[in-house]
Amino acid sequence: MKYEQTLFLADNWKDYALLDSGDGMKLERFASQTVIRPDPQAFWRPNKPVKSWKADAWFDAKAGDDERGEWRRLNPKAPDTWPMEWNGIRFEARRTPFRHMGVFQEHAVHWAFAQEQLKKSGHPANVLNLFGYTGLMSLACAQAGAEVVHLDASPKSNGFGKDAQSLSDLDDRTIRWIADDAMKFVAREQRRGNQYDAIILDPPKFGRGTKNETWRFEEDLPGLLDGVASLLVKKPLFVILTAYAVRLSHIALAQALGDRMESLGGRIEMGEMALPEEKTGRMLPTSICARWRAD
Ligand SMILES: C[S@@+](CC[C@H](N)C(=O)[O-])C[C@H]1O[C@@H](n2cnc3c(N)ncnc32)[C@H](O)[C@@H]1O
């Protein structure tokens, strides 16, 4: 297996921009709305003092909780949801109590990659998107002509994905929105003999399936990767594996994936995912990735 060090930089946005970062905070624009959120990775000095940042809302993190907190409106007229677009994929952005805005904008680098690979393949592909949440990757694949199975434990998130499918005029595309536990679904697909040309997985550090099954990244990933590899067609197109807030390095991710793809040849790109900061050229790291492709 060939391994290559890569920087996965999501620099393909019009509707999103990282405006400034530093002193543990970041200032971002999501289409019409600007927000201030804490980010422990933003370790450096901000371009302008955080106190001088202007935004529509800021996120007040709950002490001792990495994820949760409350939004404070700085602009009383700031809407609860508002339209946002990436490359013709339209969706409603929103301020969630889990700190995010209904979009994981750093993944746009993989949406573009998936579209490029699917179009290049020249045949209609079957794609499985595990832990798919917002559904934006599923929509990107469908937009590029793939039939998609989108899976997430949260039925509510599947609702957001379906809404975005309609907003994006992709209702004529086949996307099966499934609420299930990822491990159980993969085992079931193995028994049914279903196969996929490409698989994407973005598992959380810790999660719960539909029947309260626990997911622990470091413990459960090897078993899931075995299952994922067995669901691939003989000549698959790609596999994308991403991870947030785990103690593993991207090298560990890549080699775990590489083991399962060895017989197929191809290559693995591995590295950090990051967002470019407007004007300064600095980067805000977000997550790590290992991405296999056939060519
Ligand atoms: C990091 S988010 C994925 C974000 C996604 N890449 C996107 O762009 O929208 C992780 C998702 O995994 C889901 N999840 C957690 N445990 C799960 C499980 N056992 N089976 C299926 N999905 C699970 C959560 O509901 C959550 O939506």
Side-chain angles (χ1 to χ4, degrees):
M1 182 62 61
K2 276 190 255 165
Y3 292 94
E4 292 163 21
Q5 188 75 38
T6 307
L7 176 67
F8 300 96
L9 195 62
D11 55 1
N12 52 5
W13 276 102
K14 287 198 182 97
D15 266 6
Y16 170 79
L18 174 63
L19 303 171
D20 201 349
S21 61
D23 285 350
M25 303 298 285
K26 60 187 171 190
L27 172 66
E28 300 163 288
R29 180 177 65 79
F30 290 83
S32 65
Q33 298 295 297
T34 47
V35 296
I36 298 171
R37 296 187 282 172
D39 192 319
Q41 297 268 10
F43 217 56
W44 42 84
R45 287 185 185 150
N47 198 27
K48 298 222 168 92
V50 173
K51 271 189 189 154
S52 71
W53 292 357
K54 301 255 181 308
D56 294 292
W58 67 283
F59 188 79
D60 198 1
K62 208 165 143 187
D65 192 329
D66 273 0
E67 301 277 313
R68 282 174 182 262
E70 270 175 35
W71 283 98
R72 313 258 179 227
R73 269 203 183 94
L74 301 173
N75 166 11
K77 289 191 184 144
D80 288 335
T81 70
W82 62 96
M84 203 166 157
E85 178 177 343
W86 179 85
N87 198 21
I89 293 171
R90 291 181 283 275
F91 55 97
E92 286 287 298
R94 59 191 193 280
R95 292 178 298 274
T96 75
F98 308 105
R99 187 188 290 243
H100 69 77
M101 317 297 296
V103 50
F104 295 89
Q105 62 277 14
E106 58 274 17
H107 280 260
V109 65
H110 298 309
W111 306 339
F113 166 83
Q115 291 199 326
E116 191 190 296
Q117 297 295 312
L118 290 166
K119 286 180 187 160
K120 212 168 68 180
S121 83
H123 66 83
N126 286 321
V127 174
L128 174 61
N129 185 16
L130 293 170
F131 307 94
Y133 200 13
T134 61
L136 298 179
M137 170 58 100
S138 297
L139 297 179
C141 292
Q143 192 191 45
E147 288 204 359
V148 183
V149 173
H150 169 104
L151 182 125
D152 197 282
S154 154
K156 195 172 170 192
S157 76
N158 287 348
F160 291 126
K162 282 182 205 164
D163 290 346
Q165 183 175 5
S166 299
L167 284 172
S168 308
D169 295 328
L170 291 172
D171 280 332
D172 61 338
R173 305 298 162 101
T174 308
I175 305 178
R176 285 174 58 210
W177 300 95
I178 297 175
D180 202 350
D181 174 64
M183 282 286 217
K184 283 200 174 148
F185 179 79
V186 166
R188 223 173 284 132
E189 287 293 81
Q190 280 179 289
R191 288 198 293 276
R192 289 190 281 239
N194 285 339
Q195 301 231 286
Y196 295 90
D197 299 281
I199 300 183
I200 300 125
L201 54 161
D202 182 22
K205 185 176 165 59
F206 177 84
R208 292 219 180 257
T210 36
K211 296 204 172 72
N212 225 17
E213 301 91 340
T214 48
W215 163 265
R216 286 194 179 84
F217 195 101
E218 281 91 346
E219 286 167 35
D220 296 326
L221 187 70
L224 184 62
L225 285 179
D226 288 340
V228 159
S230 75
L231 292 186
L232 290 167
V233 295
K234 278 206 182 86
K235 289 189 173 176
L237 300 174
F238 60 88
V239 177
I240 305 172
L241 166 64
T242 46
Y244 289 76
V246 290
R247 258 180 280 150
L248 300 167
S249 132
H250 59 257
I251 299 171
L253 272 198
Q255 288 171 182
L257 179 61
D259 281 352
R260 275 84 183 173
M261 307 305 288
E262 201 63 64
S263 64
L264 297 169
R267 61 190 161 110
I268 290 187
E269 298 161 281
M270 58 179 183
E272 297 210 24
M273 290 163 65
L275 293 162
E277 189 175 276
E278 208 176 65
K279 293 188 188 134
T280 63
R282 290 192 300 207
M283 288 176 288
L284 181 66
T286 60
S287 37
I288 55 171
C289 172
R291 191 166 81 176
W292 176 89
R293 63 165 94 181
D295 57 88

